[in-house]
Amino acid sequence: MGAFIAAATGFPTVVFTAALVVVVLYWLLVALGAADAHGHGHAHVQVHIRGHAHVNARGHDGGRWLGGVPVTLAFSLFVAVGWLISFCASVLLVPSGPAGVLVGAVVLIGAGYASWQATKLLVRPLHRLFPDEHGPSRLDFVGLTCTIRTGRVDGEFGQAEVRAVDGSAAVVQVRQTGNDALASGSTGLLYAYDEPGEFFWVAPYDSALDPRTGPGGNPG
């Protein structure tokens, strides 16, 4: 047992041992329900759009690494494989004394590279378990109708509430170029997004002009 602990806490294995402790603690938290096994994969997304307005949505973000699997899983495999390789190489190859530091450094680099390659092979069959999904984007609101929530909307001021396709609601900043009557409670159409200003251009919505709901349209 003493030889095992010495190898696990000696250089270079100690580098992977420290990371392995973090990984084990993380998965214990996952088992207890205190952490998400997907990292930020299904996290609550808040997209701030100036001031106190924000977008709330549930989404599958880009917390992916190596073949499209969650970063937490890929990193855990990398650390576990790296620790095993480093431990075995330390026992078999790393001598004691000053020469052990040089050999240990070579083993550490080799273990990291070998673990990287092995992890890429291991995650390939797991990719199908994690379909590629994209998180919510403010551009997804362009083309949707909204409900004005401020007393006026002009070129400098205005807010509106919009519902995404998935049913999530958001309060966004809106502006208009003209002087159309857009009072609180009226319906507008978000037709463009201004990235530098972080607001949407809005115009009054006329259902009669909407090909989906107007005369001859198919609401369903």
Side-chain angles (χ1 to χ4, degrees):
M1 187 65 180
F4 175 86
I5 295 177
T9 58
F11 183 78
T13 311
V14 66
V15 176
F16 285 101
T17 299
L20 187 62
V21 170
V22 174
V23 167
V24 171
L25 290 176
Y26 172 78
W27 287 109
L28 285 176
L29 291 176
V30 170
L32 295 175
D36 185 0
H38 293 270
H40 297 289
H42 296 280
H44 187 68
V45 178
Q46 283 195 331
V47 183
H48 290 273
I49 311 181
R50 215 173 202 176
H52 298 288
H54 58 272
V55 175
N56 290 323
R58 289 280 178 178
H60 198 101
D61 71 9
R64 303 298 187 90
W65 185 61
L66 283 182
V69 301
V71 62
T72 50
L73 177 58
F75 181 73
S76 299
L77 288 173
F78 172 78
V79 170
V81 173
W83 183 89
L84 182 61
I85 296 174
S86 180
F87 178 83
C88 294
S90 295
V91 172
L92 298 175
L93 302 175
V94 179
S96 59
V101 177
L102 180 60
V103 177
V106 175
V107 168
L108 179 61
I109 295 173
Y113 177 78
S115 179
W116 174 269
Q117 298 301 323
T119 303
K120 288 196 294 185
L121 292 176
L122 291 173
V123 299
R124 285 177 183 175
L126 298 177
H127 176 66
R128 62 178 68 113
L129 300 178
F130 303 94
D132 188 20
E133 299 178 23
H134 299 284
S137 168
R138 284 171 285 187
L139 295 179
D140 294 338
F141 293 135
V142 175
L144 299 181
T145 57
C146 63
T147 302
I148 305 301
R149 293 307 184 197
T150 52
R152 63 181 174 84
V153 176
D154 53 32
E156 300 294 333
F157 176 80
Q159 288 185 349
E161 180 178 341
V162 59
R163 288 194 173 275
V165 177
D166 62 2
S168 58
V171 176
V172 298
Q173 299 290 328
V174 293
R175 304 288 186 267
Q176 69 160 324
T177 56
N179 297 311
D180 296 309
L182 287 170
S184 179
S186 62
T187 302
L189 176 67
L190 304 178
Y191 64 88
Y193 178 67
D194 187 289
E195 292 193 8
E198 295 187 324
F199 60 81
F200 291 88
W201 290 108
V202 64
Y205 174 72
D206 187 349
S207 60
L209 300 178
D210 192 330
R212 298 171 297 178
T213 60
N218 184 7

